[in-house]
């Protein structure tokens, strides 16, 4: 019976080690399902007998219990300060708001005195949320639809912030800018305040159909996260001006289902494997399953009730896998961090770079817990090894303190990730092993001559070769019409040396490299040139720069291809002949040949400075139009997709012609192999590196999966199901450039994009998504993406007639390139200079420079 596979016990050396333990549990006199609880790195606090505050030491809650009395009405909110010394605790009721010094109160109790606190507010109403400023000098109190800013030293109201139409559910200070306050409300909006002048800086639109319940600050990325009652999380960043920008949207319900699907596939794979697994997945009897998301029997029985996942509390923390991957920091994503999200039935650890769930702790899977349905949370931790959660029951009176062991949870997460598969032999784009004799890449176009039997020798019948009497490859003129020569003899003085063809190609390839690509240059965001490819609106299907950055090939929907110079000036060279839209264009490394693939099921190779194709592959080769086509393995092969398979062809190009057999072309190609992608109807895109030797070919299909092929062994090696919510329409690898150098690990990064599902950055070594990029509009058209040769910038098209530029290490875009007249459908970075060219659906090209 398969369902959710949340495991809370890990087999280690013959005994089970708990991932989550319950340290203490008590019953309150009244339910506390809607009370703000407090938990810090040392203490936790909750109301006891309505009007008293009970403080536990989280390391020894039974022996070190502290009771604080001072309220005459029921306590509705509690919060700890941000400093170690003194440790401040604030309690709020409708009568008073009191700040306690916990250590001082403990000392007074030991001395036999009654502990006393400082009253900082009186009769402010029903308080729903409390928050200390980063320096613990100011306290924010959320009462009804008002926000009171109080002095922590004495009873003094510094400011009253009004404007929300519903009850204010949370408010937090910005740690990186202490005068800024962010508040959320049941009116489904958030507001940004400047406390220096009590001024409203920004008011959001309605974010959800449900009230906003929780708020969390990310000091590392200078972002804040809001959580709603229907499980929607939004990550925002504060801009320099009075503006906010949404960076990431997370649907917790969908991410939970994807997480369960991924784990179930891993478990089934371990069951079917004959090799003994090194982790607990090999012993399926020890696994505990409870959720019915993927239970086949339950699915057949009928529909299920939809369970909402309200976001009750959030807490920022370090990246979950950082403790296990610290030995090899190359596997740890840059600027990575995690978010703990508490819902009514469990805890979720979400990677803030990707928006995906790394681990989850479902309370119903652990029978030893007293609380299965949670009403209120408090999460506190200053250690990377464990976190502490104080819970109150939704329907009962129980209060429980839980301890989650991060190291064990990270090990469990590692078992279900692709990191466990890549620990021994991680994949690499750069070829690191010799080419196998049986590899499809180890082939030659010319067939070897058949060996002749021993002793057989060639007999010389005549020393005169047969030659044509009249016809030659070139017939010289008789000379009757030419002027007579004046000089009968002229000696050759210092004749020029002949240069081999290989040296000529090398010189031609390197000619023009006068300086390196400026790695520290700014992003190209200034419009330089705008041109139209045609008099009529013509969609641009594809664009690509040549290796030397001097030419730009543009494939059009009007069945033609144009070649511009890098500055987009002058008249372009026109290549015509296809009977369908040109889907793909590609350059060889020496920039002498061009490849085009069309909707008419053909692939042609053209000389860069000619108008007649040297090689033509037609319908006998393609069952369906090629969605992707390119040169591969340092121009040795042709690589293209057709239907659910991709083909590898060896080719030879020769434009010389025989006067006798002028109809017969000397260019030819030969099929080396066909490779079928599993479980898909059509390959939507593929990608492989041509600038250096690489065995890896990446494919994406209409089944929304990614599949990695190793052509050194000639087969598929890894499948990543459900890479996006929609089929991937482009894979963009970090190809680098001959003008720039990058660390070898950078070439293992690649990007994928899909309609309505944003852009994902992947690491080939782990095949995990390490970052997600949103903010652009891509709901209908397959907007393209491009990666700069320096590996620092990502550009993407958008349907709002703009292009967006991201820094690869941040999910927040740095430039919005507006001014286009239609959807930006394709982009390309120059390989030799910091230039970006964008192409639109109406046939406009725009060149941007720094």
């Amino acid at each position: 019976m398969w369902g959710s596979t949340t495991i809370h016990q890990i087999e280690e050396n013959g005994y089970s080690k708990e991932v989550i333990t319950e340290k203490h549990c008590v019953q309150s006199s009244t339910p506390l399902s809607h009370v703000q609880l407090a938990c810090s790195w040392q203490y936790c606090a909750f109301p006891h007998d309505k009007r008293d505050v009970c403080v536990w030491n989280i390391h020894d809650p039974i022996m070190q219990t502290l009771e604080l009395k001072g309220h005459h009405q029921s306590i509705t909110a509690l919060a700890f300060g941000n400093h170690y010394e003194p440790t401040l605790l604030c309690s709020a009721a409708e009568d008073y708001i009191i700040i306690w010094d916990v250590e001082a109160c403990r000392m007074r109790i030991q001395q036999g005195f009654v502990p006393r606190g400082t009253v900082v507010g009186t009769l402010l109403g029903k308080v729903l949320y409390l928050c200390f400023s980063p320096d613990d000098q100011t306290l924010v109190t959320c009462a009804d639809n008002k926000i009171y800013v109080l002095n922590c030293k004495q009873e003094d109201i510094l400011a009253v912030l009004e404007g929300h139409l519903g009850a204010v559910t949370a408010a937090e200070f910005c740690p990186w800018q202490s005068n800024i306050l962010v508040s959320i409300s049941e009116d489904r909006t958030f507001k940004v305040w400047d406390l220096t002048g009590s001024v409203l800086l920004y008011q959001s639109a309605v974010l959800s159909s449900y009230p906003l319940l929780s708020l969390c600050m990310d000091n590392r990325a200078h972002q804040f996260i809001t959580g709603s009652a229907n499980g929607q999380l939004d990550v925002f960043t504060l801009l320099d001006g009075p503006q906010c920008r949404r960076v990431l949207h997370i649907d917790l319900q969908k991410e939970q289902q994807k997480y369960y699907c991924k784990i179930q596939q891993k478990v089934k794979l371990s069951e079917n494997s004959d090799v003994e697994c090194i982790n607990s997945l090999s012993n399926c009897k020890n696994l505990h399953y409870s959720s019915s998301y993927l239970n086949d029997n339950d699915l057949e029985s009928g529909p299920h009730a939809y369970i909402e996942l309200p976001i009750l509390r959030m807490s920022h923390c370090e990246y979950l896998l950082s403790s296990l991957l610290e030995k090899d920091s190359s596997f740890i994503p840059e600027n990575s961090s995690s978010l703990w999200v508490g819902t009514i039935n469990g805890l979720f650890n979400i990677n803030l770079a990707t928006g995906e769930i790394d681990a989850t702790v479902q309370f119903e899977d652990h029978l030893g817990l007293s609380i299965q349905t949670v009403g209120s949370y408090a999460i506190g931790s200053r250690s990377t090894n464990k976190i502490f959660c104080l819970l109150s029951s939704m329907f009962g009176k129980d209060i429980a303190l839980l301890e989650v062991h991060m190291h064990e949870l990270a090990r469990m997460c590692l078992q279900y990730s692709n990191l466990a598969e890549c620990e021994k032999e991680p994949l690499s784009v750069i070829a690191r092993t010799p080419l196998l004799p049986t590899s499809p890449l180890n082939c030659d176009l010319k067939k070897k001559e058949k060996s002749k039997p021993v002793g057989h020798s060639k007999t010389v019948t005549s020393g005169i070769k047969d030659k044509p009497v009249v016809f030659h490859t070139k017939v010289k003129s008789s000379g009757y019409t030419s002027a007579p020569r004046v000089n009968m003899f002229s000696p050759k003085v210092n004749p020029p040396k002949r240069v081999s063809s290989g040296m000529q190609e090398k010189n031609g390839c390197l000619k023009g490299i006068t300086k390196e690509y400026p790695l520290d240059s700014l992003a190209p965001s200034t419009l330089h040139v705008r041109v139209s490819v045609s008099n009529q609106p013509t969609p641009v299907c594809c664009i690509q720069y040549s290796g030397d950055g001097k030419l730009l090939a543009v494939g059009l929907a009007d069945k033609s291809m144009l070649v511009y110079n890098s500055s987009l000036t002058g008249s372009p060279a026109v290549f015509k002949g296809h009977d369908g839209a040109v889907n793909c264009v590609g350059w060889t490394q020496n920039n002498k040949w061009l490849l085009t693939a069309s909707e008419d099921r053909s692939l042609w190779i053209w000389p860069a400075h000619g108008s007649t194709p040297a090689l033509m592959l037609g319908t006998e080769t393609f069952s369906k139009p090629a969605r992707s086509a390119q040169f591969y393995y340092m121009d040795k092969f042709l690589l293209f997709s057709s239907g659910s398979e991709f083909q590898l062809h060896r080719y030879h190009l020769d434009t010389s012609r025989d006067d006798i057999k002028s109809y017969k072309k000397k260019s030819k190609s030969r099929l080396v192999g066909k490779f079928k992608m599993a479980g898909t109807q059509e390959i939507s895109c593929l990608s492989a590196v041509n600038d250096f030797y690489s065995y890896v070919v990446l494919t994406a299909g209409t089944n929304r999966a990614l599949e990695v092929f190793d052509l050194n062994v000639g087969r598929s090696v890894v499948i990543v199901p459900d890479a996006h919510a929609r089929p991937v329409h482009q894979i963009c690898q970090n190809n680098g450039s001959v003008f720039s150098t990058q660390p070898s690990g950078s070439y293992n990064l690649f990007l994928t994009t899909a309609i309505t599902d944003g852009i994902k950055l992947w690491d080939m070594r782990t095949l995990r998504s390490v970052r997600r990029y949103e903010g652009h509009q891509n709901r209908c058209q397959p907007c393209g993406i491009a990666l700069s040769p320096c590996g620092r910038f990502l550009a993407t098209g958008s349907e709002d007639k703009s292009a967006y530029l991201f820094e690869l290490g941040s999910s927040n875009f740095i430039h919005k390139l507006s001014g286009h007249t239609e959807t930006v459908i394709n982009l390309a970075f120059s390989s030799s200079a910091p230039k970006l060219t964008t192409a639109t659906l109406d046939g406009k090209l725009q060149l941007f420079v720094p």
Side-chain angles (χ1 to χ4, degrees), residues 21-210:
T21 56
E22 185 175 287
K23 294 186 68 74
H24 194 44
C25 181
V26 296
Q27 279 197 345
S28 177
S29 59
T30 57
L32 302 175
S33 59
H34 295 85
V35 175
Q36 180 191 3
L37 307 179
C39 188
S40 67
W41 54 91
Q42 187 176 2
Y43 299 102
C44 63
F46 58 92
H48 183 62
D49 293 334
K50 294 184 180 181
R51 296 170 293 183
D52 301 336
V53 180
C54 182
V55 181
W56 285 347
N57 187 311
I58 58 177
H59 302 289
D60 193 0
I62 300 178
M63 300 300 295
Q64 300 185 25
T65 302
L66 181 64
E67 290 190 5
L68 306 176
K69 299 184 179 181
H71 290 281
H72 300 291
Q73 296 187 19
S74 298
I75 297 173
T76 57
L78 294 161
F80 280 103
N82 298 298
H83 289 182
Y84 289 95
E85 295 180 359
T87 302
L88 300 182
L89 172 66
C90 181
S91 60
E94 290 192 19
D95 52 358
Y96 303 118
I97 296 175
I98 305 176
I99 293 180
W100 314 81
D101 187 337
V102 178
E103 296 297 335
C105 291
R106 185 178 297 279
M107 293 293 295
R108 290 184 62 86
I109 290 177
Q110 291 177 356
Q111 296 172 1
F113 298 102
V114 177
R116 295 183 180 275
T118 302
V119 178
V120 297
T122 305
L123 301 176
L124 298 181
K126 184 178 181 180
V127 177
L128 299 179
Y129 198 84
L130 297 169
C131 177
F132 281 91
S133 63
D135 57 0
D136 286 349
Q137 298 298 314
T138 309
L139 177 72
V140 164
T141 303
C142 302
D144 296 328
N145 60 348
K146 298 180 181 180
I147 303 172
Y148 295 92
V149 184
L150 308 178
N151 191 336
C152 291
K153 302 297 183 182
Q154 58 187 0
E155 189 172 358
D156 182 17
I157 299 178
L158 303 178
V160 179
L161 307 178
E162 298 180 272
H164 281 291
L165 302 179
V168 181
T169 53
E172 293 284 347
F173 287 90
C174 289
W176 60 93
Q177 201 171 353
S178 58
N179 65 312
I180 299 298
L181 181 74
V182 180
S183 61
I184 61 173
S185 169
E186 290 183 356
D187 62 7
R188 301 165 293 167
T189 66
F190 72 84
K191 297 180 185 295
V192 181
W193 310 84
D194 185 359
L195 297 183
T196 304
S198 302
V199 178
L200 176 64
L201 296 179
Y202 180 81
Q203 177 177 349
S204 74
V206 175
L207 300 180
S208 172
S209 58
Y210 286 71

Side-chain angles (χ1 to χ4, degrees), residues 579-779:
D579 290 331
V582 178
N583 293 329
C584 308
V585 294
W587 292 87
T588 56
Q589 283 190 308
N590 58 12
N591 312 311
K592 292 184 177 181
W593 302 96
L594 269 168
L595 173 151
T596 59
S598 172
E599 281 288 338
D600 61 358
R601 293 190 298 163
S602 67
L603 184 149
W604 293 1
I605 299 180
W606 311 73
H609 301 287
S611 58
T612 304
L615 178 64
M616 294 188 293
L617 302 179
T619 55
E620 70 281 357
T621 305
F622 295 87
S623 59
K624 290 184 177 181
R627 300 303 172 197
S628 299
Q630 65 172 82
F631 294 99
Y632 172 59
Y633 206 69
M634 303 284 284
D635 295 341
K636 188 177 180 180
F637 297 96
L638 293 175
L639 187 69
F640 54 85
S641 65
S642 180
S644 61
E645 64 184 12
F646 69 89
Q647 301 182 24
L648 186 70
H649 281 245
R650 189 77 166 92
Y651 68 97
H652 171 70
L653 300 177
D654 189 355
T655 56
S656 63
R657 305 182 68 177
D658 195 330
D659 290 341
I660 302 175
K661 300 180 180 180
S662 59
Y663 61 90
K664 187 175 182 180
K665 293 185 178 181
K666 297 183 179 181
S667 300
K668 55 184 176 179
S669 69
R670 179 168 64 87
L671 175 65
V672 176
K674 293 183 179 181
F675 305 88
K676 186 176 180 61
M677 187 175 177
T680 186
Q681 294 182 349
E682 186 176 9
I683 294 178
S684 56
C685 59
L686 65 80
S687 178
V689 175
N690 185 44
D691 293 342
F692 51 83
Y693 289 117
S694 174
Y695 306 143
V696 173
V697 176
L698 301 172
T699 62
T702 53
N703 60 346
R704 298 177 290 124
L706 280 176
E707 191 164 354
V708 183
F709 289 82
D710 185 353
L711 294 193
N712 192 23
V713 296
R715 61 179 176 85
S716 171
V717 289
V718 178
I719 299 177
V720 181
D722 298 324
H724 280 268
R726 297 282 187 91
V728 175
H729 62 258
Q730 185 180 351
I731 302 173
C732 180
Q733 290 186 260
N734 186 8
N735 297 320
S737 170
V738 295
F739 297 86
S740 64
T741 57
Q742 300 181 37
S744 59
S746 300
Y747 295 102
N748 289 310
L749 301 177
F750 67 95
L751 297 154
T752 60
T753 180
I755 296 175
T756 72
D757 200 31
I759 305 169
K760 289 185 179 181
L761 177 67
W762 302 77
D763 192 334
M764 178 68 68
R765 296 163 295 183
T766 62
L767 280 178
R768 284 174 58 90
S769 173
V770 297
R771 188 164 293 279
R772 186 185 183 93
Y773 306 91
E774 293 183 355
H776 61 290
Q777 294 183 13
N778 189 10
R779 302 167 185 163

Side-chain angles (χ1 to χ4, degrees), residues 321-548:
L321 299 179
S322 58
S323 60
L324 294 182
L325 300 178
E326 58 186 5
K327 295 181 180 179
D328 189 357
S329 59
S330 62
F331 289 120
I332 302 178
E334 184 182 359
N335 299 328
S336 58
S337 60
S338 297
L339 180 72
W340 280 107
V341 176
T343 64
I344 59 174
N345 56 4
L347 283 166
F348 296 89
N349 186 275
I350 296 179
N351 188 340
L352 283 178
T354 63
E356 298 176 351
I357 296 175
D358 281 339
T360 177
V361 178
Q362 296 294 304
F363 299 142
E364 62 180 351
D365 293 341
H366 203 289
L367 301 179
L369 297 182
S370 302
I371 300 176
Q372 302 293 324
T373 306
V374 183
S376 181
Y377 271 95
I379 304 174
S381 174
R382 285 293 177 91
S383 171
T384 57
N385 296 327
K386 59 184 68 175
I387 65 166
F388 294 91
C389 300
L390 185 66
L391 313 178
S392 66
S393 177
M394 173 70 78
F395 306 109
K397 302 178 182 180
D398 292 329
I399 300 290
L401 178 64
L402 305 183
E403 180 181 2
V404 181
H405 301 275
M406 300 282 285
H407 191 74
E408 282 70 28
L409 188 64
R411 287 184 56 211
M412 182 186 73
C413 174
L414 193 65
Q415 293 171 3
Y416 299 119
S417 68
N418 295 318
L419 289 172
E421 300 175 359
C422 302
E423 279 181 344
K424 294 184 179 180
E425 294 183 2
L427 293 172
S428 175
V429 172
I430 301 175
R432 301 187 182 276
T433 57
L435 198 61
L436 298 176
T438 58
S439 172
L441 302 177
N442 194 12
C443 71
D444 196 358
L445 183 63
K446 297 180 180 180
K447 296 182 180 180
K448 297 182 179 180
E449 295 182 0
K450 297 181 180 180
S451 59
K452 298 181 180 180
V454 181
H456 179 81
S457 60
K458 186 176 180 180
T459 59
V460 181
T461 58
S462 174
I464 303 174
K465 295 182 179 180
D466 294 333
K467 294 183 178 181
V469 180
V470 177
F471 299 102
H472 302 278
T473 56
K474 290 184 179 180
V475 181
K476 293 183 179 181
S477 172
S478 60
Y480 290 110
T481 59
S482 61
R485 293 184 180 180
V486 178
N487 297 328
M488 300 298 295
F489 173 77
S490 60
K492 293 183 179 180
V493 182
N494 296 328
K497 296 181 180 180
R498 296 185 61 187
V499 182
S500 62
S501 59
M503 185 64 67
Q504 288 178 357
E505 288 189 7
K506 183 176 180 180
N507 293 337
C509 183
L510 297 178
K511 186 178 179 180
I513 302 181
T514 58
K515 59 181 180 179
E516 294 185 355
Y517 190 97
L519 299 178
D520 57 348
S521 67
L522 299 176
S525 58
T526 303
L527 179 62
H528 182 64
V529 176
R530 180 188 288 116
V531 298
S532 298
V533 298
S534 177
N535 297 328
Q536 301 292 331
T538 304
V540 177
C541 299
C542 51
I543 59 174
Q544 185 177 342
Y545 273 97
S546 59
D548 57 4

Side-chain angles (χ1 to χ4, degrees), residues 223-241:
Q223 298 172 345
F224 64 91
I225 305 101
T226 63
S228 65
N230 63 336
Q232 307 296 313
L233 292 95
D234 293 288
V235 183
F236 294 90
T237 182
L238 288 172
L239 304 179
D240 295 335

